[in-house]
Amino acid sequence: LLPGGTAFMDGFDPRGDLHIRRNRLPHWEQAGATYFLTFRLADALPEVLLQPWREDRDRWRLAHPLPWSAEEETAYHRLFSAKIDGWVDAGHGFCLLRCPACAQAVVETLQHDDLRRVEHHAIVVMPNHLHALFSLISATALPALVRAWKGVSARRLNALRQRTGPLWQRDYFDRLIRDEEHFRRCLRYNRSNPAKAKLHECDYVRYESKLAKSIA
């Protein structure tokens, strides 16, 4: 149980139906599961950094075919996701989301589905990317949900800033939450990310649910 006797939301069920979608990145999908999601602005990562990263990642994936064990998934994120996180925290690109109105519009877009298709636990919008910790409700499909979030937010921000062209990177990174400790680690990451990136309070927008606020 979480603080106050609240039961932990659904994590990964190793006995349940699991769909592993093989796109440019692997996505583990399970109905009603809890996810830690990251997606980034289109200019958040320079190609000069991404090309050798992709080559190393692809070699590693050839040596570790899906489905991965918990240890292999952890190794993947340590070797590749962490490197990406460090690069985006360095503030590459135009950093459109440093604008408070743009960041708030993204949060509002995500929260439009709160308690209908998802239950949001924590969101942090950084200058060139965002992290969201949430649980799917009923049969909500993760790819369709992310596609809707990206599409609606892109239209809102393009209108707000009178810009055209792609706003978000094509893909996204997701981690299926395995258990309560994994949930707590992702929540701590969300909280510490702005300080790690040396951001001022005006440079990001953060949201936490009542449940998340009760967890140290």
Side-chain angles (χ1 to χ4, degrees):
L1 295 181
L2 294 171
T6 304
F8 175 67
M9 65 293 301
D10 291 339
F12 172 60
D13 180 3
R15 295 176 299 277
D17 292 334
L18 177 67
H19 175 58
I20 301 175
R21 192 161 47 86
R22 292 165 172 82
N23 197 354
R24 294 192 303 168
L25 297 170
H27 300 290
W28 290 39
E29 298 166 13
Q30 191 169 71
T34 299
Y35 287 90
F36 184 60
L37 176 78
T38 300
F39 54 93
R40 306 176 176 92
L41 294 179
D43 65 352
L45 292 172
E47 190 62 28
V48 68
L49 295 177
L50 279 177
Q51 186 57 40
W53 178 89
R54 290 192 192 104
E55 292 171 358
D56 290 343
R57 179 203 62 187
D58 291 347
R59 281 193 293 269
W60 190 92
R61 287 176 60 182
L62 280 174
H64 301 83
L66 294 171
W68 293 336
S69 66
E71 292 75 17
E72 286 174 314
E73 185 189 2
T74 298
Y76 175 88
H77 289 291
R78 184 184 70 251
L79 292 169
F80 301 104
S81 302
K83 186 174 290 187
I84 292 285
D85 290 341
W87 288 337
V88 293
D89 286 348
H92 291 290
F94 187 67
C95 292
L96 179 65
L97 300 178
R98 196 184 298 273
C99 165
C102 291
Q104 188 58 43
V106 172
V107 172
E108 290 171 1
T109 299
L110 268 63
Q111 289 181 325
H112 177 74
D113 289 307
D114 204 15
L115 301 183
R116 294 191 306 115
R117 302 174 70 188
V118 300
E119 180 180 357
H120 283 293
H121 308 299
I123 302 169
V124 60
V125 180
M126 307 280 282
N128 60 6
H129 66 288
L130 69 84
H131 302 293
L133 181 61
F134 59 91
S135 300
L136 297 179
I137 294 176
S138 66
T140 300
L142 184 64
L145 183 67
V146 177
R147 195 160 51 244
W149 283 343
K150 284 185 173 183
V152 172
S153 60
R155 290 190 290 273
R156 290 188 64 177
L157 268 62
N158 282 344
L160 185 64
R161 298 305 295 258
Q162 297 183 332
R163 67 180 299 277
T164 58
L167 181 75
W168 301 107
Q169 286 184 358
R170 177 181 170 188
D171 218 325
Y172 58 90
F173 293 74
D174 60 271
R175 297 195 71 177
L176 199 159
I177 301 301
R178 295 182 174 277
D179 51 33
E180 182 180 331
E181 179 52 34
H182 191 188
F183 180 89
R184 290 176 183 270
R185 288 201 307 272
C186 290
L187 181 58
R188 289 194 294 267
Y189 183 92
N190 250 23
R191 289 171 175 168
S192 65
N193 201 197
K196 181 182 174 185
K198 299 180 172 60
L199 298 181
H200 299 292
E201 288 188 4
C202 61
D203 292 331
Y204 66 94
V205 172
R206 181 162 55 199
Y207 160 81
E208 285 193 4
S209 67
K210 184 177 180 181
L211 170 65
K213 289 176 180 178
S214 71
I215 301 173

